[in-house]
Amino acid sequence: MSEKAIAAKQEVVNEIKEKIENAESVTLVGFDRMDVLEITDLRNKFRDANAEYKVYKNTMMRFAFEELGFGEITDELKGANALVFSNGDLVDGPKIAVDYRKEDDANKDKLTIKAGVVEGAFQNADQMIAIASLPAKEVLYSMLANVIQSPIRTLAGDLNNTVAKIALALDAVRTKAEEAGASDISAVAGNAVASEEKTAVEETIETEAPAAEDAPETEETQTEEVEEKTEETAEDAE
């Protein structure tokens, strides 16, 4: 093989590698039973979805995938194959392929989804079909934003309620200060605390102090009672 031919093939391999690296996703499809008109129609559908459908020789694709470290995909390089490069959203290419297969039962045999590469990782046929059912990236971002904003809105509501309660409490203290003619709100709060402590002490004294009528007899009282009894005895004896 001449150097010119080798250089031409290497140029094709480099082109495939560049497209794989720049695409959001790459889908390997087989089209053994499709005619020219059907392929043209399918290519237009991919183009409308910002995806590129391009046919390469299996040998060129094998070199490109192997050089990029995707050796797993080379086992699927049998028959007539094409690569679909999704240049917008990663689901665009796989989705068009899956939708085309659903249009007619015959299309399932005409177009085969074999494997792919998504965000630098190899995907088998089932995984590529599953990816085709995902919402577009913008929709996913919107869903994620709603999930994140929901607890934030709840937190904001709780904070607003807390701030409102604090404001009401401070307003009550301010009102007491104005009624007392005090200029320092902290003084009012301190007086209120002191008043509460004083009341508590007074209640404690009243509870613990014994009543006067229940007080025990003293020694002086007992002596007076003995003297009274002695005098009564003397009078009786006379």
Side-chain angles (χ1 to χ4, degrees), residues 6-20:
I6 295 175
K9 290 185 177 182
Q10 186 61 49
E11 184 177 346
V12 174
V13 171
N14 291 340
E15 176 187 313
I16 298 172
K17 289 169 57 179
E18 183 179 359
K19 288 181 178 294
I20 293 174

Side-chain angles (χ1 to χ4, degrees), residues 67-205:
E67 290 182 14
L68 291 175
F70 300 116
E72 307 98 321
I73 205 169
T74 58
D75 294 336
E76 304 295 337
L77 295 175
K78 301 173 183 177
N81 297 298
L83 293 176
V84 179
F85 303 100
S86 299
N87 299 316
D89 197 294
L90 62 87
V91 305
D92 291 341
K95 181 175 176 58
I96 294 298
V98 170
D99 289 346
Y100 180 83
R101 285 167 52 83
K102 291 180 179 179
E103 289 178 1
D104 193 304
D105 290 339
N107 289 355
K108 295 180 180 180
D109 295 328
K110 293 180 180 179
L111 185 70
T112 306
I113 299 175
K114 294 186 172 183
V117 176
V118 178
E119 294 184 346
F122 167 78
Q123 310 291 329
N124 60 32
D126 292 337
Q127 290 171 325
M128 293 304 297
I129 293 174
I131 289 171
S133 64
L134 294 175
K137 186 182 295 184
E138 292 182 358
V139 177
L140 286 175
Y141 286 160
S142 177
M143 294 169 62
L144 179 60
N146 288 333
V147 171
I148 294 175
Q149 289 176 1
S150 179
I152 292 177
R153 285 194 292 265
T154 301
L155 176 60
D158 292 341
L159 290 176
N160 287 335
N161 290 336
T162 301
V163 171
K165 291 177 181 179
I166 294 174
L168 289 174
L170 291 176
D171 186 65
V173 173
R174 180 187 59 78
T175 301
K176 289 183 179 180
E178 292 176 351
E179 292 175 352
S183 60
D184 188 355
I185 294 179
S186 62
V188 175
N191 292 337
V193 173
S195 177
E196 291 293 332
E197 292 178 349
K198 180 179 180 182
T199 301
V201 171
E202 291 175 349
E203 290 177 352
T204 302
I205 294 175

Side-chain angles (χ1 to χ4, degrees), residues 216-229:
E217 294 182 347
T218 62
E219 183 177 349
E220 182 179 353
T221 303
Q222 293 175 354
T223 302
E224 291 176 354
E225 289 179 353
V226 171
E227 289 178 352
E228 289 177 358
K229 291 181 180 181

